[in-house]
Amino acid sequence: MSIKISKYNASGNDFVIFESDSFHNYSNLARKICNRHKGIGADGLIVIIKNKSEISNKISSLILDLNNDKIDFAWDFYNSDGSKADMCGNGSRAAALFAYENKIANKNMKFLTGAGIINAEICEINKHLAIVESELTKPVKKAENFSENGFLWSFYDTGVPHLVTFVKDLNDFNIEVARNLRKKYNANVNFASFKDEILRVRTYERGVEDETLACGTGMAACFITGVINFNLQNVVKVMPKSGEILYLRKNDDKVFFKGAVSHSFDALFYDE
């Protein structure tokens, strides 16, 4: 069986994306496709579902009028290890560009994720490179600040759970501490530093089970922590390990995440 797939990159995170008429369990396929030696290689797999009746059946337990809310599509998101995730900030921007390029949605769109409805906008586009902004789900504080392993932690859910600590030097990033806290709290773990008007972030991401080049929801969690605890402005530049500059802004209780997305290539993937 062959599947037409597309590869997108958003600030150091790469994703394989394809369309499907219905929801299935794509965990095994995600592991195959995301494998960097035997597959395409990616941080995650995004399956785009645009069948409205299929979406209605999937979320029948929710009070949601698809026509009134004008949802353009839904997604299933899988980490490279095959585990499902409700939300991915960089993935949301990649999915938006895919939807626009494949005429699934206009430049302004809404789509359904496990974390809720996401609004996204294609702000600029030049061939296969675009600037995309997505409105993330409302941040939820999961616990009061606490100290552990010599660091002060904040705990927010920005679509998925994130632990955040601010440090003077990002070289203080400790992967063993991050790995242990990820297991203990079932959360992503972020080290952040604010210097020269730039919020710098390093993230240990569950599902990848290692440090990643970028994590959108992680940057958002660091941003919210900085705004609340350290009086950061409501608009900041943010730099993940990939070195790209992105922008986060807060408007009331809404968080917006903006940056570049590139369409790398299209291909056929053969699944036995």
Side-chain angles (χ1 to χ4, degrees), residues 153-166:
W153 299 96
S154 297
F155 199 2
Y156 285 94
D157 191 313
T158 49
V160 289
H162 282 274
L163 289 166
V164 175
T165 187
F166 269 71

Side-chain angles (χ1 to χ4, degrees), residues 110-122:
K110 287 186 177 184
F111 60 96
L112 186 68
T113 72
I117 296 173
I118 299 297
N119 292 281
E121 178 184 0
I122 310 299

Side-chain angles (χ1 to χ4, degrees), residues 142 146-155 161-167 172-191 204-206 209:
K142 293 183 66 68
F146 63 92
S147 294
E148 193 163 337
N149 294 111
F151 300 98
L152 178 66
W153 299 96
S154 297
F155 199 2
H162 282 274
L163 289 166
V164 175
T165 187
F166 269 71
V167 294
D172 289 339
F173 178 86
N174 187 311
I175 196 164
E176 288 304 320
V177 167
R179 183 176 290 115
N180 291 335
L181 291 176
R182 175 266 180 270
K183 292 178 181 177
K184 181 175 180 179
Y185 294 96
N186 191 26
N188 303 276
V189 182
N190 304 267
F191 285 66
Y204 184 95
E205 190 170 354
R206 65 179 191 176
E209 305 308 333

